[in-house]
Amino acid sequence: MQTSTETIDFSRVSDLLRQGCRVTLFLRHSERPPIDPADKTFGQALPLTPHGIGLACAAGKPLAGCGDARFAASPMVRCRMTASCIAQGMDLPDAPVADEPRLGLECFYYEDPENLQAAMREQGYLTFMLDYFRKGVAPYSRPLGVATQMMTAWLKDATTRQLNVLVSHDIFIAALLTGLRVRTYSADNWVGFIHGAAIIRAPSGAWRCHPCLPDISQACPVLFLH
């Protein structure tokens, strides 16, 4: 797969769809309330904030008109709500949202989710992830390069419709774009809400990956973590 450091917005994605491309958007969820550090489910039941609902609905508007679309999400409520709100913004209010564990705790970057999450809590999520990105290895995790190859192959296989909206978590978005050497992340430059990666299959069959964000990106602040 070719990669590009050029960030594209959802209006550009809409143009690519009209040109006959297939696109998978691998996105972080929209804004949610802070997660209680004592919550061992990592906010599994946390909904989006009202602002987050508005952001996700607005994010879908430039994609309206693409009827050949599917939506899947990490089983966490905030991810499912984000996918549903994007669909509403696309004028597809009845579109189903499939649960996809590969976008959550069964993601390729995790080998032992329970122990990994405990290690993250102890070290701090951001510190743990940035160390993983620097070294390429971390406790209870697959090597970054290996996991990125697996994730990329899965995302290509998931590009089954003209537009595929897959909603996940910031740590997996950051891991993919770091592993592909598309982005470099720091504490001051993290994954914003509804930011992610666009996996594009051209009519010729060629694949490429861009970082992507909604047209409302200036209204999408970063909120740690995930």
Side-chain angles (χ1 to χ4, degrees):
M1 178 184 292
Q2 295 181 336
T3 59
S4 173
T5 59
E6 177 193 6
T7 299
I8 62 174
D9 63 24
F10 290 4
S11 290
R12 174 77 179 280
V13 170
S14 183
D15 291 340
L16 292 168
L17 295 172
R18 285 192 291 269
Q19 294 166 19
C21 295
R22 287 178 176 251
V23 180
T24 287
L25 296 177
F26 178 47
L27 305 172
R28 186 189 181 188
H29 57 78
S30 193
E31 183 186 81
R32 48 125 180 95
I35 297 175
D36 184 340
D39 183 354
K40 293 187 177 181
T41 72
F42 307 98
Q44 182 172 353
L46 278 179
L48 298 181
T49 64
H51 180 60
I53 291 171
L55 288 177
C57 289
K61 289 187 181 299
L63 302 170
C66 179
D68 185 24
R70 74 179 185 96
F71 302 85
S74 162
M76 292 196 177
V77 170
R78 58 188 179 271
C79 295
R80 290 186 54 83
M81 285 184 68
T82 299
S84 181
C85 289
I86 291 173
Q88 289 182 48
M90 293 176 60
D91 296 324
L92 299 172
D94 298 323
V97 177
D99 277 341
E100 179 44 75
R102 288 294 189 187
L103 299 170
L105 291 179
E106 294 183 22
C107 193
F108 295 102
Y109 292 95
Y110 284 5
E111 279 195 328
D112 182 342
E114 183 174 351
N115 283 320
L116 174 57
Q117 296 281 354
M120 284 180 165
R121 280 197 301 269
E122 181 177 351
Q123 188 175 348
Y125 286 102
L126 187 60
T127 301
F128 185 99
M129 291 305 298
L130 293 179
D131 195 45
Y132 178 37
F133 297 162
R134 282 193 301 271
K135 296 178 179 178
V137 293
Y140 313 113
S141 306
R142 286 191 177 91
L144 181 64
V146 171
T148 297
Q149 289 179 356
M150 296 171 70
M151 191 75 210
T152 301
W154 185 84
L155 288 168
K156 288 168 70 173
D157 287 344
T159 309
T160 58
R161 307 283 286 272
Q162 188 179 18
L163 176 64
N164 308 269
V165 178
L166 310 181
V167 182
S168 186
H169 302 272
D170 53 355
I171 55 178
F172 303 136
I173 307 300
L176 177 75
L177 292 177
T178 298
L180 290 175
R181 300 182 180 179
V182 170
R183 291 289 303 272
T184 300
Y185 289 97
S186 69
D188 298 320
N189 174 33
W190 193 242
V191 183
F193 294 121
I194 324 181
H195 291 205
I199 311 298
I200 302 160
R201 185 182 186 275
S204 67
W207 292 88
R208 70 182 186 276
C209 174
H210 287 262
C212 70
L213 45 72
D215 299 8
I216 53 168
S217 61
Q218 296 306 312
C220 294
V222 171
L223 179 65
F224 298 110
L225 214 184
H226 46 204

